[in-house]
Amino acid sequence: LRSNTENNDGNIRRIREEAGPPVLAVSASVSRESQRRALEAGAQAFLGKPFEAQAFLRVVEGLLRGT
């Protein structure tokens, strides 16, 4: 999903409430507050931009394994 800051938390909550897929929050805002909000909203993982391709793959593989 790509959305403005005001809708991010609501979008994540909606996906999780509908038993949707795991949510990986990716944001240029890497503050602890941004990370905390995304995880509290239901994201299973958070990556701050920019990130290395290997880091992205590790996180996605972990989400697919359920870890």
Side-chain angles (χ1 to χ4, degrees):
L1 289 176
R2 181 176 180 214
S3 64
N4 62 38
T5 304
E6 294 175 13
N7 294 327
N8 287 338
D9 296 346
N11 288 333
I12 293 170
R13 282 189 184 91
R14 192 168 27 265
I15 290 168
R16 298 306 302 150
E17 287 170 359
E18 296 174 6
V23 175
L24 167 57
V26 177
S27 178
S29 175
V30 295
S31 70
R32 287 187 179 151
E33 177 66 15
S34 295
Q35 186 172 6
R36 182 191 63 77
R37 287 180 58 193
L39 296 173
E40 284 182 357
Q44 284 78 14
F46 182 94
L47 274 177
K49 293 179 188 175
F51 52 84
E52 298 290 326
Q54 284 303 111
F56 176 78
L57 291 174
R58 277 192 304 273
V59 172
V60 170
E61 288 171 352
L63 290 172
L64 293 174
R65 282 191 312 266
T67 59

